[in-house]
């Protein structure tokens, strides 16, 4: 089956920096990469950051027909310029990001002067229609976010190690209304022996993670041949860029 590409500069780097990892209680498990992310931001090792607005967002978001004033949650938001684009569409954007270095850089690089206030475990940085809660996603509760209409996920689920992704989805379902949808972008690397149906269809891991709470619709697939920057001598490999729309099943 195709492998969802981690929204992360290099898995080898993750293994190296994380060392042995921790097991045990779910809260310990979900936070075991936090020191790694904080360190990456301090060291400015942020290859995952896109210097332009994601073009799948700009191309496919309008199909969702979200009214102006909708509240969009951007988990694990980094300093993504996609938040600026979403705010320009007339939406209210609520991001959550662990690293204060990332949050500071977002406002500074976009020449925005945010206000800052403490909200429980989080610091809320705000300017205009954009608010970023600086703290741990897994510590968020419903009241921190307020009403959410849609979740925008680019390299959020996929930033997390596979064994934490189900905790991420379970937590998402606790903190956003059951009716909220998710606009999800992935890159899926073809594996040897994949059938075309597997490669071009809904990823099996995503189906397992989301099908209980969401209707999954695959809106767009684009196959691209790419070289691995870590192994430039290897022949280019196929990857599928996919745009998913997950519609929340209303609670019943
Ligand atoms: C792969 S990056 C993607 C950032 C952003 N979505 C983008 O498209 O550029 C993942 C981000 O999640 C943040 N992060 C990781 N674990 C987190 C957590 N538990 N709570 C909040 N943010 C977290 C990291 O600091 C990093 O900025």
């Amino acid at each position: 089956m195709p492998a969802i590409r981690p929204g992360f500069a290099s898995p080898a780097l993750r293994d190296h920096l994380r060392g042995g990892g921790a097991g045990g209680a779910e809260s310990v498990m979900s936070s075991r990469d936090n020191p790694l992310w904080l360190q990456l931001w301090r060291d400015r090792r942020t290859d995952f950051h896109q210097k332009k607005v994601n073009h799948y967002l700009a191309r496919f978001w309008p199909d969702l027909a979200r009214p102006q004033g909708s509240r969009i949650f951007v988990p694990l938001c980094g300093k993504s310029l996609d938040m600026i684009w979403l705010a320009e569409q007339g939406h209210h954007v609520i991001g959550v990001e662990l690293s204060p270095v990332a949050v500071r850089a977002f406002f500074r690089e976009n020449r925005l002067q945010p206000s800052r206030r403490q909200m429980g475990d989080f610091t809320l940085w705000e300017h205009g229609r954009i608010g970023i809660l600086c703290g741990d996603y897994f510590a968020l509760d419903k009241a921190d976010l307020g009403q959410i209409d849609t979740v925008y996920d680019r390299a959020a689920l996929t930033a997390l190690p596979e064994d934490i992704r189900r905790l991420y989805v379970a937590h998402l379902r606790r903190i956003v209304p059951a009716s909220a949808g998710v606009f999800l972008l992935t890159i899926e690397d073809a594996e040897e022996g994949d059938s075309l149906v597997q490669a071009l269809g809904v990823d099996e891991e995503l189906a397992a993670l989301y099908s209980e709470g969401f209707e999954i619709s695959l809106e767009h697939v684009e196959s691209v041949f790419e070289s691995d920057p870590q192994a430039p001598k290897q022949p280019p490999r196929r990857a599928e860029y996919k745009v998913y729309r997950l519609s929340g099943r209303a609670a019943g």
Side-chain angles (χ1 to χ4, degrees), residues 174-237:
R174 278 195 286 273
I175 60 178
V176 304
S179 57
V182 182
F183 184 87
L184 169 65
L185 304 178
T186 62
I187 307 173
E188 297 170 18
D189 291 309
E191 302 270 295
E192 213 152 305
D194 284 347
S195 69
L196 212 55
V197 171
Q198 277 180 315
L200 302 183
V202 172
D203 176 77
E204 288 172 27
E205 184 193 354
L206 285 186
L209 285 169
Y210 283 106
S211 52
E212 201 181 312
F214 300 87
E215 294 283 349
I216 304 175
S217 152
L218 180 54
E219 300 284 296
H220 180 75
V221 182
E222 199 163 314
S223 297
V224 174
F225 281 84
E226 297 176 326
S227 305
D228 179 353
Q230 316 289 333
K233 292 198 177 125
Q234 296 292 319
R237 301 217 13 217

Side-chain angles (χ1 to χ4, degrees), residues 87-129:
E88 284 170 358
Q89 310 314 302
H91 301 315
H92 292 279
V93 176
I94 304 98
V96 65
E97 169 55 48
L98 192 64
S99 165
V101 174
V103 181
R104 194 172 301 111
F106 171 79
F107 287 103
R108 197 184 46 231
E109 290 170 15
N110 291 293
R111 297 198 170 79
L112 303 173
Q113 291 222 315
S115 63
R116 238 196 303 177
R117 69 188 156 91
Q118 205 57 35
M119 256 184 64
D121 291 341
F122 293 86
T123 308
L124 173 63
W125 300 56
E126 240 178 337
H127 178 91
R129 285 196 287 266

